[in-house]
C-alpha cells in the first residue's frame, strides 16, 4: 500500500470484530477457561455463558434456544445441514434440490453427495439472480428429501423468496435448508414465519470472530450428526466448545440486530449512491443482481474490458479493500459460477468488482471510491488489447 | 503496478496475441525487429496482476536480444525475474513466453522463414 | 464454592490460555481482521500470520508446514482423519483397526462408519492400559486400510508404543493415524521417527484457545476432504479460517514445546508424590494405568466404595477442580469405557477420580489435595451402604 | 453437600435398598414406624451428588407422614423440592421414590399385610 488511507469495502468477505465482542471474549480465554462439560464451578460459568449466547442467537431468528447448535462457521453448518439430512432421510429418497448460485460450501457439499450416489437438481435463477419458484415446484418428486436455497447471495447480494420456498417445502413435507450466512442481522429473518427447518449462520459476517457459527435445527428434523465424539451440544455436535467464540458470537449478533433498523436504510442510501455514480462516471458498466431485492450493503458491477483481480490490486494500492467474485473462490481461475448463472458471458464475468459496505462505511469513503475508481479503470483499459480493438472499431463506425 | 513497455507498436514487425477472453487473460506482444534483433517491444494485456506483471517483465527481458536469444527466454526466467509466482499464477508467465514466441514466428512467417517449433 | 482457594487439577480437560497467547490473538480479531483468502494488503497480513503458525506447529512434530491443516479442534481432526481416509481408500478395502481405549471422538466416528458398512477390529489393552502390539499384527488383513491408536490416553494417561505401531503399518502399507491430542507438547513426538501418517492435535490442551486444532497429513496420504466448500487450506479444508485461534495455537505450541524439557520432570515429581500420598493415606485405592509409561501430569485413582461424581462435587466445594472419567463423557451415566477396558469391574469404574497437573501446579497445590482428600472420601464412605456392609463383614471376620 | 438424615436405624421397622453397584447408584432407606406413621427415617447412598441430594430430600419429605401419605410422595415432588434436576439426573429422584416404597412394603410384608402396588 502506498497510502495510509484504508477504506474497507469487503464486508461480505469478513467484518472486524466489535470492541465489545472482543472484551466479552477475553475472560473466557483467561480466567473463565473451564471446559463446559466439566462438573465444577469454573466450568459451569463457561456453560452458562454459552447458554446465554445460544438464547441470543435464537432470539434473532425467532427460534428456541434448544434449536441452536454451535459449529466452527458457515461452512460446517452448510456441510452438516446437507450431509446430515441427506443421509438421515436416505430411506425416504435420495433426490436433493438446490440453486445454481449457492456458496461453494453448499455446491461442493452437493458435489460430494453426488459422488456418493445422490441425485441433484439445480434450480436456475433469472438474469437478476432470483430463483425461479415454479421450477422448484416442478423439480420436487416423491424421492426429494431436501431443498437448500440461500437467503441472500454473497456475490451479487440478491435476496431470495425464502418464505415462498419454505411454504412449498412445508406443504410437500420436505426439509428446507437456507444458508443465511450473508443475511443474518442484515435483513430480518424469522424461521417460523419462513418455514425454515435448517439455517446456517457465521459470526464473522456480523462483526463477530472468525471460526464460529451455528446451525438452527427445527425440533424433530431428521438429521445425522456430522462431528462425532463427546456429548456436547446435547449430543448433536461433538468437540470441546469454542467458548470464547460462542460468547463473542452472542454479543455480536445482539448488537448487530439492535442496530439493524438504522443500519439498513443507511447502507441502502450509500449503496444506491455508489451504484449511480459508478454507472455515470465509467462507461460500459452494469449492476449485477436485482436493483431492489439486494442486500443493503452490496454493490456488484460488471466493468467491461478489464479483469477484476487487477482492479482489486490497484484499489488496494489506493487503500481500498474490495473483491471480485467471492472471497472464497478468488484463489481460483474460473469465473464466478454465480455471474455465469445470471447469464453473463465469460469475458464479462471476469470483469466484475464487488464493494460491500458495513457499519463503519461513511459517505466520505464512498466519495473516495467514486473519485479513485474511474482513473484505475482507465489505466487498465489502456493496457487492454480488447479495449483498444473496441475503440478502433468504434472509430471506424463513426 | 507500474508496468513498463505498455502499448502497441503501430508498424510492428511481429505481433503475437495469446490467451482468450473466456479464460480471462489476453496478451498481445508487438516487436520492432532490426537485423534479427529486437529493438523495441510493447505489450497489451487484459488479465490479472500477475499476467500484467509477466507481460511487462518479458518485454524487459527480450528487449535488445537477438531473436534466437529471445526465443530462449522461458516462463521460468519470467517468474524468477518477478521473484517467484504462486503456483496458481504460473500460467501467466507461460502466456508471456508464448506471446513472445508467437510474435517472433509472426515475423518469421511474414519473411517466409519456417516458424520455430514450440517445445512441448 | 465455599472457599476462595482454587486449585485447578483438570488440565486434561482443558488448560487456561497463556497471556502471551491472548495478546497474540487480539490483533487478529481487531485491526488485522482481513479474510486470508482476499487479495489486498490487510488480508495478506492475516495469511502470513497463519503461515507462521503452521510452521510453528510443524516444527514441534517434525513435519513440513505444508502437511499441517487447521481444524476446529481435536474432534474434527479425528473425524476427518478417520472418515476421510476410510472413504478415500474404500476401493482397497473396508477394514479398520483401532483400540478399545480411544477417545469418543475416535470411537464414535468408527461407530458411524460401522453403520455405513465398514468392518472394525478393536485391539485390546493390558491391565495397565498398553495396547497389545501382536494383536495389531494379527488383526491386519489385505482389506485393512487404517490403524488408529492414540498416542496417550486422556483418562488413565498411558503412553502407547506409537513408534512400534507405525513400523508395523509402514511395513504393511496401511495408513496410521494417531490421536495425539493429549500428547502434543507433553511428551516428545516425531512423525518421521514414528512413521505416523495422520496426527490429531488440539490447542486447548497446551494453553491455547478452545475450538482450534490441526490435522497433520503426511504428503501423498489418500484422504477425502471433510468440510467441503471454499479453497482454503490448499483446498483440503473449507471454511473461513479462525485466524486469531490459529495464531494463538502457534504461539501456545511454541511456548509449551520450549518449556517441555523442564516441565516433564517437574510434573512427574509432583505426580508421583500425589499418587504415593493418596495410596498411603486412603485405604482401598489403586492407581489406574501404567506406573511409568504415563503422561507426566496424569493421576487416576480408583477409590472403592464411593462414586466419582460426588467426590468431584465435594472437591469443587473445597476449590479443587478434578474429574471422573473424561470430561467429555462425564455427562453420561455409563462408566468410562477405558476403565472397563483395563479390566475394572463396573462398581470400581464408578469410583475413579482423575487429577491432571499442569504448568501452574505447585507442591503447595498437591499438599492441599493430599490434606483435603481423605476427609472427603471418608464423608462419602460413611454415607455409602456398600461401605457399611463391608465394615460389618470385616468386623465379623476379626 | 450437607445431607440430613444420613445413616442407618439399627432396629428399623422397614428397609428398602434399591439400585445396584453396576449402574453406579445404591440407595438404602430405613424407617422407624409407629402407628402407621414414619417417626424416623435415615438413608445411605452410594452415588452421584444428585442421588445423595434426592435421598436426603425424600427422607425430609416423608418424615412424620403416615405410610399412605408417604407412599404418595413422588419423584417429581423430590425433584421439585430440590428446585429441579437436569434430565440426565431424573432417575436419581426415581430411585428415592422407589427406596421409600420398598421400605414401606418391607414393613407391610413383615406385618403380613399385602404390599402396595407400584404404579407403572
Ligand atoms: C453465503 C455464504 N455461505 C457460507 C459461507 C461460509 O462461511 P464461513 O466462512 O464461516 O465458513 C460464506 C462466507 O464465506 C457465505 O458468504
Ligand atoms: C485424546 C483426545 N482426543 C480428542 C479430544 C477432542 O478434542 P477437542 O476437545 O479439541 O475436540 C480430546 C479432548 O477432549 C482428547 O483428550
Amino acid at each position: 500500500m502506498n497510502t495510509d488511507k484504508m477504506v474497507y469495502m469487503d464486508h461480505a468477505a469478513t467484518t472486524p470484530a466489535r470492541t465489545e465482542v472482543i472484551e466479552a471474549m477475553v475472560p473466557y480465554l483467561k480466567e473463565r477457561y473451564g471446559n463446559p462439560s466439566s462438573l465444577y464451578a469454573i466450568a459451569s460459568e463457561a456453560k452458562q455463558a454459552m447458554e446465554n449466547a445460544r438464547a441470543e442467537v435464537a432470539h434473532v431468528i425467532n427460534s428456541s434456544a434448544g434449536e441452536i447448535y454451535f459449529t466452527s462457521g458457515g461452512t460446517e453448518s452448510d456441510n452438516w445441514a446437507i450431509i446430515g439430512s441427506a443421509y438421515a432421510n436416505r430411506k425416504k429418497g435420495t433426490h436433493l434440490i438446490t440453486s445454481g448460485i449457492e456458496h461453494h460450501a453448499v455446491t461442493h457439499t452437493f458435489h460430494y453427495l453426488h459422488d456418493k450416489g445422490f441425485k441433484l437438481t439445480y434450480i436456475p435463477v433469472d438474469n437478476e439472480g432470483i430463483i425461479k419458484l415454479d421450477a422448484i415446484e416442478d423439480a420436487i418428486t416423491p424421492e426429494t428429501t431436501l431443498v437448500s436455497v440461500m437467503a441472500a447471495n454473497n456475490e451479487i447480494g440478491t435476496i431470495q423468496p425464502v418464505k415462498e420456498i419454505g411454504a412449498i417445502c412445508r406443504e410437500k413435507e420436505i426439509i428446507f435448508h437456507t444458508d443465511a450466512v450473508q443475511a443474518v442481522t442484515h435483513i430480518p429473518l424469522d424461521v417460523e414465519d419462513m418455514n425454515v427447518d435448517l439455517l446456517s449462520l457465521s459470526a464473522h459476517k456480523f462483526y463477530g470472530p472468525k471460526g464460529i457459527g451455528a446451525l438452527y435445527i427445527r425440533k424433530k428434523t431428521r438429521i445425522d450428526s456430522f462431528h462425532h465424539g463427546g456429548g456436547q451440544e446435547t449430543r448433536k455436535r461433538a468437540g470441546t466448545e469454542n467458548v470464547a467464540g460462542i460468547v463473542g458470537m452472542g454479543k455480536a449478533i445482539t448488537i448487530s440486530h439492535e442496530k439493524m433498523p438504522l443500519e439498513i436504510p443507511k447502507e441502502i442510501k450509500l449503496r444506491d449512491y455508489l451504484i449511480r455514480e459508478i454507472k455515470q462516471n465509467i462507461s460500459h458498466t452494469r449492476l449485477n443482481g436485482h436493483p431492489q431485492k439486494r442486500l443493503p450493503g452490496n454493490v456488484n458491477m460488471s466493468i467491461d474490458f478489464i479483469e477484476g483481480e487487477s482492479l482489486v490490486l490497484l484499489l488496494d494500492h489506493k487503500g481500498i479493500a474490495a473483491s471480485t467474485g467471492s472471497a472464497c473462490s478468488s484463489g481460483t481461475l474460473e469465473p464466478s459460477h454465480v455471474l455465469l448463472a445470471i447469464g453473463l458471458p465469460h469475458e464479462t464475468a471476469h470483469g466484475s468488482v464487488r464493494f460491500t459496505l458495513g457499519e463503519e462505511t461513511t459517505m466520505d469513503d464512498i466519495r473516495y471510491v467514486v473519485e479513485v475508481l474511474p482513473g484505475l479503470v482507465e489505466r487498465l483499459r489502456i493496457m487492454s488489447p480488447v479495449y483498444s480493438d473496441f475503440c478502433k472499431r468504434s472509430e471506424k463506425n463513426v | 503496478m507500474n508496468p513498463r513497455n505498455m502499448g502497441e507498436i503501430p508498424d510492428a514487425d511481429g505481433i503475437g496475441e495469446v490467451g482468450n477472453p473466456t479464460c480471462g487473460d489476453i496478451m498481445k506482444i508487438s516487436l520492432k525487429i532490426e537485423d534479427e534483433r529486437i529493438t523495441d517491444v510493447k505489450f497489451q494485456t487484459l488479465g490479472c496482476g500477475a499476467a500484467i506483471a509477466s507481460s511487462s517483465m518479458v518485454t524487459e527481458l527480450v528487449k535488445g536480444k537477438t531473436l534466437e536469444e529471445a526465443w530462449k527466454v522461458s516462463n521460468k526466467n519470467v517468474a524468477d525475474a518477478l521473484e517467484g509466482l504462486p503456483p496458481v499464477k504460473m500460467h501467466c508467465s507461460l502466456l508471456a513466453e508464448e506471446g513472445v514466441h508467437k510474435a517472433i514466428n509472426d515475423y518469421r512467417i511474414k519473411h517466409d522463414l519456417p516458424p520455430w517449433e514450440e517445445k512441448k
Side-chain angles (χ1 to χ4, degrees), chain A residues 285-314:
Chain A
T285 54
R286 257 154 295 112
L287 178 70
N288 293 317
H290 193 282
Q292 284 88 41
K293 290 180 196 161
R294 72 187 299 127
L295 287 170
N298 178 290
V299 175
N300 187 310
M301 309 295 298
S302 277
I303 306 187
D304 289 345
F305 314 120
I306 66 151
E307 194 275 341
E309 192 182 314
S310 50
L311 182 58
V312 166
L313 285 181
L314 289 183

Side-chain angles (χ1 to χ4, degrees), chain A residues 78 82 97-103 106 110 121 123 125 129-133 136 146-153 158-162 165-166 169 175-180 196 198-200:
Chain A
D78 286 341
I82 295 165
I97 295 177
T98 187
S99 87
I101 60 161
E102 299 296 309
H103 189 270
V106 168
F110 277 116
T121 302
I123 305 295
V125 295
I130 308 285
I131 193 153
K132 295 181 174 163
L133 275 180
I136 298 181
L146 175 71
V147 171
S148 177
V149 175
M150 70 202 315
N153 182 270
T158 42
I159 297 171
Q160 302 298 332
V162 174
I165 305 170
C169 294
I175 296 174
F176 176 36
H177 167 243
T178 190
D179 172 346
V196 170
L198 302 166
L199 182 145
S200 307

Side-chain angles (χ1 to χ4, degrees), chain A residues 97-133:
Chain A
I97 295 177
T98 187
S99 87
I101 60 161
E102 299 296 309
H103 189 270
H104 281 159
V106 168
T107 57
H108 289 183
T109 303
F110 277 116
H111 293 168
Y112 168 80
L113 286 177
H114 185 70
D115 285 350
K116 299 271 174 276
F118 286 86
K119 293 180 287 292
L120 307 182
T121 302
Y122 290 94
I123 305 295
V125 295
D126 64 22
N127 287 343
E128 287 171 325
I130 308 285
I131 193 153
K132 295 181 174 163
L133 275 180

Side-chain angles (χ1 to χ4, degrees), chain A residues 35 232 237-241:
Chain A
N35 187 323
Q232 293 93 349
R237 198 276 187 184
T240 300
E241 301 89 339

